[in-house]
């Protein structure tokens, strides 16, 4: 096997090894080969290839186990992640003035933001104003002043006729009888 087969997908490697084993067992069961300066029998080669197949099977099983374990970890983290973050926030608030106690929980006190300078405040205000102008956003009062005027459109109210009541079974409409009335009786 060459060095490129180690980069081949596992299924291809497995198929190649199985084909080599089948060929050696059926065509050269008692063969002897000089490979890399050493002599190997067919049985020794089959045994070596079967060991590689067993290692590949163990690797596949380990990958499957890792996939299952990773899925279980992600599911558990999805449950406990929000709880952990909430507990950390609570502990940081409760022990804000006790960094030694927070250290027992593996936490650090929250950093207090540095006070902004007048230049930073002015720059932020100018940036916010420029953003509002660029987006065309306005205040509530300015939005109320904006109205539209549509011309050339006639609005016709549509009315639906009131549904007529359906006759009930007690008030069946009069229908002519199929037999004529008998006279003289």
């Amino acid at each position: 096997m060459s060095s490129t087969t180690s980069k081949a997908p596992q299924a291809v490697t497995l198929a190649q090894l199985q084909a080599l084993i089948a060929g050696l067992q059926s065509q050269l069961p008692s063969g002897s080969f000089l490979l890399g300066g050493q002599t190997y029998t067919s049985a020794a080669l089959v045994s070596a290839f079967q060991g590689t197949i067993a290692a590949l099977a163990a690797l596949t099983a380990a990958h499957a186990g890792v996939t299952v374990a990773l899925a279980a970890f992600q599911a558990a983290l999805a449950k406990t992640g929000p709880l952990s973050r909430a507990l950390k926030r609570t502990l940081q608030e409760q022990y804000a003035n006790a960094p030694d106690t927070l250290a027992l929980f593996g936490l650090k006190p929250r950093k207090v933001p540095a006070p902004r300078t007048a230049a930073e405040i002015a720059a932020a205000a100018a940036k916010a104003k420029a953003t509002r102008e660029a987006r065309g956003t306005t205040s509530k009062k300015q939005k109320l002043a904006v109205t539209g005027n549509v011309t050339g459109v006639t609005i016709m109210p549509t009315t639906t006729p009131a549904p007529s009541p359906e006759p009930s079974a007690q008030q069946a409409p009069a229908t002519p009888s199929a037999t004529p009335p008998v006279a003289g009786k």
Side-chain angles (χ1 to χ4, degrees):
M1 306 205 61
S2 68
S3 63
T4 59
T5 57
S6 63
K7 295 179 182 176
Q10 294 175 358
V12 173
T13 303
L14 178 64
Q16 289 173 346
L17 290 174
Q18 289 172 336
L20 285 172
I21 290 172
L24 285 172
Q25 289 175 337
S26 66
Q27 298 298 316
L28 303 166
S30 60
S32 174
F33 303 91
L34 180 63
L35 304 171
Q38 288 189 340
T39 304
Y40 296 94
T41 63
S42 291
L45 290 172
V46 167
S47 176
F49 294 152
Q50 286 174 338
T52 303
I53 289 174
L56 183 59
L59 176 64
T60 303
H63 276 283
V66 166
T67 303
V68 169
L70 181 61
F73 167 71
Q74 289 172 338
L77 189 60
K79 282 183 186 178
T80 61
L83 296 174
S84 173
R85 288 187 295 274
L87 178 62
K88 287 177 184 179
R89 282 192 305 269
T90 301
L91 290 172
Q92 285 176 331
E93 290 172 9
Q94 188 172 355
Y95 298 111
N97 296 327
D100 294 339
T101 306
L102 281 175
L104 294 174
F105 293 103
L107 301 173
K108 295 179 182 177
R110 288 188 180 176
K111 291 184 179 180
V112 177
R116 297 192 313 172
T117 64
E120 291 173 335
I121 293 171
K127 184 176 179 182
K129 183 178 180 184
T131 301
R132 287 178 65 90
E133 288 175 3
R135 291 183 180 165
T137 54
T138 57
S139 67
K140 276 187 172 183
K141 289 182 182 179
Q142 289 172 332
K143 285 180 186 177
L144 290 175
V146 176
T147 59
N149 189 8
V150 179
T151 58
V153 176
T154 306
I155 299 175
M156 297 288 293
T158 57
T159 58
T160 57
S164 60
E166 293 185 24
S168 64
Q170 295 172 350
Q171 299 175 348
T175 57
S177 171
T179 58
V182 181
K185 278 196 175 176

